[in-house]
Amino acid sequence: EVTVKNDFDFTNLNGFDVKWEAVRGGAAVAGGNMDTLDLEPGGTMTVDLGPKAAGCRINMEFSLKSDTLWAPAGHVVARYQL
């Protein structure tokens, strides 16, 4: 499980593609997309990544789903390692 908090003031996280990867011993053991990350500004939710992710480092990447005035779709806006 991983807890996701939306620190934006006005933006829902459903405008982003979120990819995750579970890493153990330097190798990816699981991963995927969080397709249903619908989280209002200031909100928090827990996402179950499955049993393969237990005890692993979790890499997360947030990228734009669609073009904006300042960046094209696919532009990475945040990366985290938990």
Side-chain angles (χ1 to χ4, degrees), residues 21-30 55-59 81:
E21 178 182 60
V23 178
R24 180 179 296 124
V29 296
C56 293
R57 289 270 183 209
I58 305 297
N59 296 322
Q81 185 176 60

Side-chain angles (χ1 to χ4, degrees), residues 29-74:
V29 296
N33 296 319
M34 293 184 187
D35 297 323
T36 58
L37 197 58
D38 186 13
L39 189 56
E40 293 292 330
T44 302
M45 70 185 303
T46 301
V47 179
D48 183 6
L49 302 179
K52 288 186 178 182
C56 293
R57 289 270 183 209
I58 305 297
N59 296 322
M60 297 179 70
E61 180 178 274
F62 294 74
S63 59
L64 296 173
K65 277 189 180 179
S66 55
D67 291 343
T68 66
L69 293 174
W70 55 273

